Amino acid sequence: MTPVNPPPPESTSPPPLPDAPRLPVAGLPEGVRIRALRAVYGDPRAAAELLPRLTERQAAGLDPLPTEPGDLAPALLRVHRREIRTLPDDTRLLLLLAAADQYPVPTHAFLRAVTAARLDTRPLAAAEAAGVAHTATGGVVFRDAWARVAAYETAEPADRRDAHRLLARVLSGAREAPSRSWHRGAGALGPSGRLAVELDAAAVQARAAGRPALARALVERAAALSPEPGEQARLLARAAADAWHCGEADRARRLTAATADDALTGILALRTGNAFEAFDALLRAAARQGYDGACAAGDAGGAAGGDSDYAAGGDGGGAAGGDGGGTTGDEPAPAGPAARRRPRHTGDGPVPSTPPVGGPASSGDLSAASGGLSGSSGGSSAAAGASAVSVNGGSTAGGAATPSGGGPSAAGDTPQASSGDALAPSGGVLGPVGGVLGPAGGCEAGVAGVRGMVRDAGTGVRASAGRRRGADPADDARAATRRATAGPSVSGSRLPADLPVRLLLVRATEAAVYTGDLRRCREAVQVAVRSGVGVPGVLAGITAAADGRYEVARDHLERAAGRRGPGIGREGGGRTDGGGDPTLLVHAGIAALMLGDHARAATATVRAVDSARVQGATATAAQAMEFRAYADFWTGRPRAAEAATAHALHQAYATGQDNGACHLQAALAMFAAITGDGDLCRERAAAARGYALAHGLGLPAALAQWALAFLDVVTGRFDTAATRLRALAGFGPGHGHRAVRHLATPHYVEAAVRTGDTRVARTAHADYHRWASAVRSADDLALSARCRALLTPGAGAVEHYRTALDLHAHGTRDFERARTEMLFGSALRRLRRRAEARDRLHGALAAFESFGAPHCADQARTELRALGTPASPARGLDDPTARLTAQQLLVARMAAEGATNREIAARLALSPRTIDHHLRGVFTRLGIRSRIELVRLLAEGGSPPG
């Protein structure tokens, strides 16, 4: 038993390693470099020992890094062990007790244990004299993490167990129960089913208290003690989920490899693998959960009806068998919404491990009409026949097709009918919410879907689902109880295999958003319908928007964003006492962004970060910042947002979320475009696109392309900007994204008008206006009016500009409002309305200066000079640091604080070569030659605004 990830206290340096090489981390991918440094507690000598030991796949980020201290830096540990062995036995015993007290998290029981055992603490003076550890008010503080690991590992196994048992005896009270259980498990001599159950129960309590790191240690120890192989696999899967949520990505990946769980595989692939594979895995897990839930419901409802061949049940235990028997044969269930039939496996043929997901999928093309930027303005039409649904890279023939008049459309709370519009291509409404199917033949459609699902499953069901011939019914009851009592939170209180279908579909929706293949959301809707659960609001909204049904999409998204019904984050059982479920809050933010409600999006994402931190879900906090960046971009806070996003980028890399880091890199490219740092914009965009295209991430790839196009717009390279933005319309899934094409439409129209090619721009604007009219967003309507003004020649454009500014007054996109004012001022200048033009241009100039957007400010000054009006010089020229870009200023401040180039690179998730480039730019712009001059200049000039 070796301690993992002990907290690194600040103290003196460990003994030197002989001939320790320099830290060779510059050539590694950013994610691997940051995780490697984190794994070795930031010790450069341990990292120098670890990196040559990595395999090629580990160095490339394809395989997880080592997690045990003995595998990370064995030579360094040997040096520390020799040092510990020179100490007296009494000193080593006290150090062992202190080390055990700090693993896996501090339990603060050392002093109580010393008192209970009547130990003399004076031998600790020898450890202090050797520089290994020293005493403090709360107990023993080790020199570093490696000294603590060595103190634990040099002890005999029997002494370790005795230390843990002593610590368990002195821990009391309900709040200390998880820590007590941990020490009891660590002190166990061999397998024990009773202790495994106790540790599993303690892990549930630790998760509820927001301590997933402790929960992971408890469940992993429970798996080691469990005598049942099947239970070991379940516990390891739960440990993998806890490890992921507390930010131990490499440990989570290692544990997941031993479980073969689709839900876990999908969640990890969503954040660090191929997004298309993540969608397939999550959809398979959702289909299996829906099928298992249907079988469990059938068992519960049909138990009272005798041993029939088929049992049908509904949500909440309502089943046909509950009133006198289950249905048999091919007859539909007479009662029970979302009814299910489960054929008994007869033993003839293999038992299928996964129920195939089959059903109709529209073959309508959702790509941009006539090469337009924002897609078809008339929606899409579906194929009349059933088509294949891709699952796990393959396809199955469509099962029972949804009949005309029935299609999935639930927002999650109530069935939504909107003038005949629905998500299904046939145009009907079928809303499975809480097991209630919608009107107009919805029940018949639901039963047909269930029949198709069971028919597709073949002649049997999974060996672990439902009652089987010769199986103990109590096993199925225990499995159903375990799923029902696992807890409501997406963020870590459940084992992914126990997640309900609805929450697995939430994750599948994220995967579809990242890939940009929004058409595949229809497959997720099919699984929701066949499982009898409510379609998550964001999933329903995206599916409707992809079909061109914008009014229906608006209704679903408004519910998901909290504009209607439950508050933000409460859909699907989110908590209200802790701010709600962080994953659902992220989805509320996504929905608000799609609606153009950036204030609500910012609120939801901030709450998601806070809730994730309260629950210990470190991985979710960085994800929330990905979507917060969009709101910060639109509202004109690039400098503050850039610093927050750079911090989130480091957190994403540290927690193994390379896909999220790619998205944040693209967001930072957009901020660099606003702040005028062209070199950084191109570097960030290239890094994001290179990674995104290799992992099927259409969203960050499209955002990086948009950042480059926006940089071209603000620097006057309209031909290049128009070419880039037109190309966005042609990029397929994994390369582009419909939503980003849509958001970029106003900039594309501006670039196209400047180049004289407005044919495609008019088509793009028509669809953009239809969306803006549907969601009724003041900002989107304002940008639509600006596009119309740009497309209208002469004096006719003036009223459209006035309309745009009136609408901007009710919105939140301050940066775009300033651009509208500048474009209006330019139009007024050409119409020789000089006085009003000056007012508009001065207002735009002041706004751009406050936003820290120098290129846009230069455009406004150019327009003012064309009027013959002397433009005010750039604000802050008396402060030399005002000449720096936001990134240069951040690097300069860190350098002035004494950080080395490598330390700055690690904090900003950049390469040391990039930091060298930025520092040379800082010295050139400030006219200095050394860091000493930089320190003096920053001290004299103070901190500039922003």
Side-chain angles (χ1 to χ4, degrees):
M1 176 170 47
T2 55
V4 177
N5 291 341
E10 297 179 1
S11 187
T12 58
S13 299
L17 272 175
D19 301 324
R22 290 176 57 85
L23 187 63
V25 298
L28 291 175
E30 293 296 321
V32 176
R33 181 173 63 84
I34 291 174
R35 291 203 323 275
L37 288 171
R38 187 188 189 209
V40 298
Y41 320 114
D43 191 321
R45 294 164 311 152
E49 182 183 355
L50 168 65
L51 296 176
R53 297 168 55 86
L54 297 180
T55 66
E56 291 184 5
R57 290 182 57 83
Q58 287 175 328
L62 300 177
D63 287 344
L65 300 179
T67 54
E68 299 297 332
D71 298 328
L72 291 167
L76 181 62
L77 272 178
R78 283 195 296 271
V79 173
H80 281 77
R81 290 193 193 105
R82 285 197 298 268
E83 186 182 23
I84 294 293
R85 290 193 184 101
T86 62
L87 298 174
D89 289 345
D90 291 345
T91 304
R92 292 171 56 192
L93 175 63
L94 290 169
L95 292 179
L96 167 63
L97 188 61
D101 179 48
Q102 297 175 22
Y103 167 52
V105 290
T107 56
H108 308 292
F110 172 76
L111 295 179
R112 282 180 280 171
V114 167
T115 303
R118 299 181 179 179
L119 298 175
D120 186 0
T121 59
R122 284 177 293 181
L124 285 173
E128 189 164 355
V132 173
H134 67 275
T135 57
T137 304
V140 175
V141 177
F142 287 91
R143 175 183 58 213
D144 57 26
W146 300 106
R148 181 201 160 284
V149 172
Y152 187 89
E153 291 188 345
T154 52
E156 295 294 331
D159 292 338
R160 296 183 204 168
R161 290 193 294 270
D162 289 341
H164 284 295
R165 290 167 185 161
L166 173 59
L167 291 165
R169 286 199 300 271
V170 300
L171 288 166
S172 60
R175 296 187 63 181
E176 292 185 322
S179 299
R180 181 172 61 251
S181 295
W182 157 251
H183 285 299
R184 281 172 50 79
L189 185 60
S192 169
R194 180 181 57 80
L195 264 179
V197 171
E198 177 186 336
L199 290 167
D200 191 13
V204 173
Q205 183 178 347
R207 289 188 204 99
R211 304 173 70 187
L214 176 58
R216 190 273 307 160
L218 285 163
V219 180
E220 195 170 354
R221 184 60 179 162
L225 295 176
S226 177
E228 301 179 13
E231 188 68 4
Q232 286 178 353
R234 184 187 72 83
L235 292 169
L236 286 175
R238 191 181 292 275
D242 289 326
W244 174 256
H245 289 296
C246 68
E248 298 179 6
D250 293 297
R251 181 175 291 275
R253 291 170 64 186
R254 287 182 175 277
L255 291 170
T256 300
T259 63
D261 182 88
D262 277 336
L264 276 171
T265 300
I267 290 174
L268 267 63
L270 172 64
R271 303 300 297 163
T272 190
N274 186 282
F276 287 100
E277 295 174 3
F279 181 88
D280 289 337
L282 290 164
L283 204 62
R284 283 197 307 272
R288 180 181 293 115
Q289 280 295 98
Y291 192 69
D292 289 351
C295 293
D299 285 337
D307 189 14
S308 61
D309 287 338
Y310 298 94
D315 291 345
D323 292 327
T327 62
T328 60
D330 291 328
E331 297 175 359
R340 292 288 180 270
R341 296 187 296 119
R342 180 182 60 82
R344 177 184 294 165
H345 183 52
T346 61
D348 299 330
V351 178
S353 62
T354 305
V357 183
S362 169
S363 60
D365 186 8
L366 299 176
S367 61
S370 304
L373 185 69
S374 300
S376 170
S377 61
S380 63
S381 60
S387 61
V389 177
S390 171
V391 176
N392 194 22
S395 62
T396 59
T402 305
S404 178
S409 178
D413 296 306
T414 56
Q416 177 64 31
S418 178
S419 304
D421 285 337
L423 301 183
S426 57
V429 177
L430 188 154
V433 183
V436 180
L437 300 180
C443 287
E444 290 78 6
V447 172
V450 173
R451 285 177 171 169
M453 185 174 180
V454 176
R455 189 179 303 117
D456 289 343
T459 60
V461 296
R462 296 176 64 236
S464 61
R467 281 190 295 133
R468 303 174 303 281
R469 185 171 295 171
D472 184 2
D475 292 338
D476 299 325
R478 282 192 292 269
T481 301
R482 192 162 54 234
R483 283 194 295 269
T485 60
S489 176
V490 178
S491 62
S493 65
R494 283 191 177 186
L495 169 68
D498 289 342
L499 282 173
V501 179
R502 185 181 179 84
L503 298 183
L504 286 169
L505 293 175
V506 165
R507 292 296 197 183
T509 304
E510 292 178 21
V513 168
Y514 279 115
T515 64
D517 192 358
L518 302 183
R519 289 173 293 183
R520 296 203 67 189
C521 288
R522 297 173 185 161
E523 300 173 38
V525 170
Q526 290 286 341
V527 172
V529 172
R530 295 184 176 197
S531 302
V533 301
V535 182
V538 174
L539 172 59
I542 289 174
T543 308
D547 282 333
R549 304 177 187 277
Y550 291 160
E551 288 78 11
V552 178
R554 175 200 63 216
D555 294 340
H556 292 306
L557 293 172
E558 284 184 342
R559 287 190 181 88
R563 285 185 176 180
R564 303 182 183 181
I568 294 177
R570 293 181 60 189
E571 180 189 358
R575 299 205 324 261
T576 56
D577 55 346
D581 186 283
T583 299
L584 296 179
L585 284 165
V586 170
H587 278 244
I590 295 172
L593 285 173
M594 294 182 68
L595 293 168
D597 190 344
H598 299 97
R600 188 176 291 270
T603 299
T605 49
V606 167
R607 283 182 56 192
V609 172
D610 293 341
S611 179
R613 288 172 179 165
V614 168
Q615 298 182 27
T618 307
T620 309
Q623 183 187 7
M625 287 304 300
E626 296 175 38
F627 296 96
R628 172 64 190 270
Y630 287 90
D632 289 334
F633 164 71
W634 285 118
T635 50
R637 296 189 296 271
R639 290 186 182 274
E642 185 177 33
T645 306
H647 175 71
L649 176 65
H650 187 277
Q651 289 298 108
Y653 278 135
T655 54
Q657 302 183 79
D658 290 351
N659 291 358
C662 175
H663 194 189
L664 290 163
Q665 285 272 25
L668 285 168
M670 182 63 82
F671 291 133
I674 295 176
T675 56
D677 195 335
D679 291 339
L680 183 61
C681 175
R682 285 183 280 272
E683 179 184 347
R684 296 280 196 191
R689 283 187 59 79
Y691 181 92
L693 297 180
H695 292 78
L697 300 173
L699 178 60
L703 182 60
Q705 181 79 346
W706 182 19
L708 294 171
F710 185 79
L711 180 65
D712 290 330
V713 168
V714 298
T715 53
R717 296 190 294 269
F718 296 109
D719 287 333
T720 306
T723 301
R724 291 187 193 277
L725 292 171
R726 268 198 306 273
L728 274 180
F731 287 153
H735 296 263
H737 202 283
R738 178 186 175 93
V740 174
R741 294 199 307 264
H742 201 75
L743 289 171
T745 296
H747 299 145
Y748 171 62
V749 170
E750 180 181 350
V753 168
R754 296 296 186 99
T755 59
D757 182 12
T758 60
R759 180 183 58 84
V760 176
R762 291 182 187 278
T763 303
H765 169 248
D767 189 61
Y768 184 86
H769 179 72
R770 201 164 69 85
W771 170 257
S773 300
V775 301
R776 300 188 290 267
S777 163
D779 285 310
D780 285 320
L781 288 170
L783 291 173
S784 177
R786 186 177 88 188
C787 291
R788 185 173 287 110
L790 287 166
L791 293 166
T792 302
V798 172
E799 288 307 314
H800 295 308
Y801 277 121
R802 295 193 194 281
T803 300
L805 288 173
D806 289 341
L807 289 165
H808 274 308
H810 300 284
T812 58
R813 298 187 192 178
D814 296 333
F815 185 80
E816 288 301 320
R817 177 180 180 175
R819 287 197 58 80
T820 300
E821 273 205 302
M822 185 185 70
L823 292 170
F824 188 19
S826 178
L828 290 170
R829 178 185 62 78
R830 291 192 298 272
L831 293 171
R832 301 184 182 279
R833 300 187 183 183
R834 302 172 62 84
E836 187 177 1
R838 277 194 297 270
D839 292 340
R840 297 296 182 187
L841 292 170
H842 278 302
L845 175 59
F848 290 140
E849 287 181 336
S850 68
F851 297 151
H855 287 322
C856 294
D858 288 341
Q859 286 182 328
R861 290 192 188 92
T862 300
E863 292 290 341
L864 284 169
R865 284 194 293 269
L867 278 172
T869 302
S872 60
R875 182 182 301 178
L877 286 182
D878 54 331
D879 182 358
T881 58
R883 307 169 194 162
L884 305 179
T885 66
Q887 190 77 14
Q888 287 174 335
L889 182 58
L890 194 60
V891 170
R893 285 175 174 167
M894 292 181 184
E897 292 169 359
T900 66
N901 287 10
R902 292 188 181 277
E903 290 170 341
I904 298 172
R907 290 170 63 181
L908 297 182
L910 294 171
S911 66
R913 182 180 302 175
T914 300
I915 301 303
D916 291 338
H917 168 75
H918 284 313
L919 277 178
R920 285 196 300 270
V922 168
F923 289 172
T924 300
R925 292 195 180 198
L926 298 183
I928 58 178
R929 296 183 179 181
S930 69
R931 292 195 178 211
I932 296 176
E933 294 180 77
L934 177 62
V935 171
R936 185 176 64 252
L937 191 63
L938 290 180
E940 293 174 352
S943 297

